[in-house]
Amino acid sequence: MTNKNIKSIDEAYKLLGAKIVLIPIKTGKKIPSIKSYKNLEFEQTQDKKFQEKLKSSTNVAVLQGEKSSGLCSIDIDSDDIFEDFLVSNPKMKNTLITKGQRGANFWFYTLGDVPKVKKFDWGEIRGEGGYTVLYGIHPSGNKY
C-alpha cells in the first residue's frame, strides 16, 4: 500500500503525474482560494505567479477529471469502511492512498470515460467537476 502524506507540490507532481491541475485551498478549509478553479488548464497552472501562489499555500488540492488527465479518487469517510473497502477491493492497496481526519482517498486514473462526482452514504467518487485536498491542514486541525 502506498500510504502517503504529501508535503509539497513537487511531491504531488511526482506521485500523481506531471499533468495534474493543482489548486490552492484556503488554510484550514476545503474551499478553493480561486473562484474559477474549474476552468483552469494545466498550462495555466505552470505560470510562475500561479506556481508561487501554490507554493505559498498551506493547503493544496487536485482538480479531478479530464483537466488532470483523468485522475479521480474514491473518498472513504470512515476508518471502519476503509478496512472493508480494502478487503473488497484488494488491488486498491497498490494505489496512492492519502488520509485526512478519518477514512482515506484512493487515487486512480480512468481508462475510459471519467465519472462525475457521485455521493454515497460511505463517501464519494470524485471525478469530473470535483477536487480533493491533497495536503495541508484539515478543518479539524489535523494534517492531511
Side-chain angles (χ1 to χ4, degrees):
M1 175 178 1
T2 309
N3 195 343
K4 284 293 278 185
N5 286 327
I6 296 170
K7 297 178 180 105
S8 72
I9 62 168
D10 292 334
E11 189 175 9
Y13 287 128
K14 182 179 175 187
L15 288 170
L16 291 170
K19 288 218 135 188
I20 57 172
V21 174
L22 297 177
I23 53 177
I25 300 292
K26 294 179 182 180
T27 301
K29 306 228 184 253
K30 295 182 180 182
I31 302 166
S33 60
I34 296 173
K35 289 183 182 185
S36 60
Y37 71 92
K38 287 185 179 183
N39 298 322
L40 284 172
E41 298 289 338
F42 172 76
E43 291 73 22
Q44 293 171 289
T45 67
Q46 300 308 294
D47 173 80
K48 184 179 178 181
K49 285 186 179 184
F50 192 91
Q51 285 290 306
E52 287 171 359
K53 184 171 181 69
L54 273 176
K55 288 179 180 176
S56 67
S57 293
T58 304
N59 289 17
V60 173
V62 177
L63 182 62
Q64 293 179 301
E66 293 294 336
K67 303 246 179 168
S68 287
S69 307
L71 181 63
C72 300
S73 71
I74 298 171
D75 179 29
I76 305 292
D77 286 340
S78 146
D79 290 333
D80 292 337
I81 295 171
F82 168 81
E83 295 300 329
D84 292 342
F85 180 82
L86 282 176
V87 168
S88 298
N89 301 279
K91 289 185 178 182
M92 294 305 278
K93 291 179 184 177
N94 300 320
T95 190
L96 177 66
I97 302 169
T98 57
K99 295 183 79 51
Q101 181 179 8
R102 64 195 183 300
N105 273 279
F106 295 85
W107 297 82
F108 64 97
Y109 282 95
T110 58
L111 297 176
D113 293 337
V114 176
K116 294 190 186 303
V117 174
K118 180 145 175 89
K119 293 183 185 259
F120 299 93
D121 58 348
W122 48 262
E124 62 189 341
I125 295 174
R126 294 191 182 142
E128 197 62 41
Y131 63 89
T132 297
V133 179
L134 192 56
Y135 71 84
I137 307 297
H138 189 276
S140 69
N142 295 339
K143 287 186 177 184
Y144 280 98

